[in-house]
Amino acid sequence: MMRRAVPLLAWSAVSCSGLHVAARAPHVAARAPFIRRAVFLSTSRGFNPDKYFTMERPVETRDYIMQQTMIRVKDPEVSLKFYCEVLGFNLVMYRDFPQYEFTVFFVAQVDPALIPKNPEDQWRFCMQTPGCIELTHNYGTEAVPGRVYNTGNSDMTGSQDGQKVKGGFGHLGITVPDVCKWSACARFVWHLLRVSKADTSLVRLASFRQTRRANASRHSAASSPNRPTLVA
Amino acid sequence: MKGLAFIKDPDGYLVEVLPQGPMITKPVDCNGVTVDGGPGYKDNSK
């Protein structure tokens, strides 16, 4: 039977199963993302990816870890606040490379009590932690007006000819227990971050979080289904 | 509600937010925004 081609983003609800557990990093296993399986697409090439579900992992790769995605950020202070305060990451390691004029900050969703105190152990811990984001700051970009980096999603930042650039990068992804509850909060946080200048928005965000905590202490979890639940 | 959401980080990178369970689509989400026929969500970042 010919299957109807569907957009790539039409993920199968029933296929959102199969929890990927990072055996070598039990401290993050409980929060590891679900593997998403795309609805099989009938393409003109007739490509069927199903064999990769059951393919034996090459023995030489058994200790490999999908450890990081790197993104360049304009201002690491602002980005660290976002990833740590809005999305619940922690800084697990950072390194400065003055000879190359950049600094890297690795963030991950881990128990902060497990993050070592000294830089060498932090490096080792970081390199064994799946799903880190490496925030790379090139010196001086924080002083550049406007956007510095192209997001890959059809924007004109960095374009040489004024045309939008459709880059390879798409997005990062997190999973949450309840997207609807999350979005009720996220839209508010997102609005604060976007409509205000960074410092002002972060002050307001902090104020919002304090208010939310105060509200949370006054109301039970069931009293308001739309009560913001974002941020660990 | 299409069952997923996006947020932008300070540099404009998209962060996709997905459910850990089934992806449930609702005609009208908890913010009162309709999936079809309405303005949907507006990108306020520009």
Side-chain angles (χ1 to χ4, degrees):
Chain A
M1 183 179 70
M2 180 70 75
R3 297 189 187 192
R4 185 172 64 89
V6 295
L8 277 173
L9 277 177
W11 302 105
S12 166
V14 298
S15 65
C16 290
S17 60
L19 182 64
H20 172 65
V21 178
R24 289 177 56 85
H27 53 282
V28 296
R31 303 175 76 176
F34 283 83
I35 292 176
R36 297 179 301 172
R37 295 179 182 176
V39 175
F40 173 70
L41 302 177
S42 292
T43 69
S44 58
R45 298 177 59 196
F47 173 57
N48 185 340
D50 285 358
K51 69 177 182 180
Y52 295 109
F53 287 132
T54 55
M55 187 191 86
E56 284 289 322
R57 186 173 181 175
V59 65
E60 62 271 24
T61 72
R62 284 184 181 161
D63 293 328
Y64 292 7
I65 298 171
M66 172 36 217
Q67 185 270 335
Q68 64 177 267
T69 295
M70 186 278 266
I71 55 175
R72 297 177 184 86
V73 300
K74 174 179 176 176
D75 187 334
E77 185 176 359
V78 175
S79 294
L80 282 169
K81 282 181 179 286
F82 174 81
Y83 283 97
C84 296
E85 296 188 12
V86 178
L87 296 183
F89 286 69
N90 277 93
L91 177 67
V92 294
M93 187 271 285
Y94 69 94
R95 287 284 190 279
D96 187 35
F97 297 88
Q99 68 274 38
Y100 305 118
E101 298 190 331
F102 71 84
T103 310
V104 296
F105 303 84
F106 284 81
V107 295
Q109 291 173 317
V110 297
D111 181 351
L114 299 175
I115 301 172
K117 303 299 183 190
N118 71 73
E120 289 71 27
D121 291 340
Q122 287 172 352
W123 173 276
R124 193 173 301 110
F125 177 82
C126 180
M127 292 304 136
Q128 296 182 24
T129 299
C132 292
I133 302 173
E134 178 184 2
L135 305 170
T136 297
H137 172 238
N138 291 301
Y139 291 2
T141 52
E142 69 278 9
V144 176
R147 289 278 171 84
V148 175
Y149 296 115
N150 192 288
T151 64
N153 295 302
S154 296
D155 72 59
M156 292 193 295
T157 307
S159 171
Q160 300 298 307
D161 57 6
Q163 299 297 307
K164 291 182 177 179
V165 175
K166 190 175 184 180
F169 182 79
H171 58 259
L172 303 169
I174 63 168
T175 64
V176 299
D178 189 325
V179 175
C180 192
K181 282 185 179 180
W182 184 91
S183 67
C185 176
R187 288 182 63 230
F188 184 50
V189 174
W190 176 77
H191 179 72
L192 289 179
L193 286 169
R194 301 318 311 173
V195 302
S196 307
K197 290 184 177 178
D199 289 344
T200 305
S201 71
L202 291 166
V203 170
R204 293 173 65 190
L205 175 60
S207 174
F208 158 68
R209 293 186 67 199
Q210 289 165 0
T211 302
R212 185 173 65 83
R213 285 177 181 146
N215 289 339
S217 67
R218 288 197 294 268
H219 302 289
S220 69
S223 64
S224 174
N226 289 337
R227 184 171 60 79
T229 56
L230 181 63
V231 182
Chain B
M1 167 65 72
K2 296 180 179 178
L4 55 79
F6 284 93
I7 188 172
K8 286 186 176 180
D9 90 342
D11 288 276
Y13 298 118
L14 289 174
V15 179
E16 185 178 25
V17 183
L18 292 158
Q20 292 168 356
M23 188 172 288
I24 300 171
T25 299
K26 298 178 180 179
V28 181
D29 75 8
C30 51
N31 299 308
V33 177
T34 58
V35 170
D36 300 311
Y41 286 101
K42 182 182 177 184
D43 183 350
N44 291 324
S45 65
K46 295 184 176 65

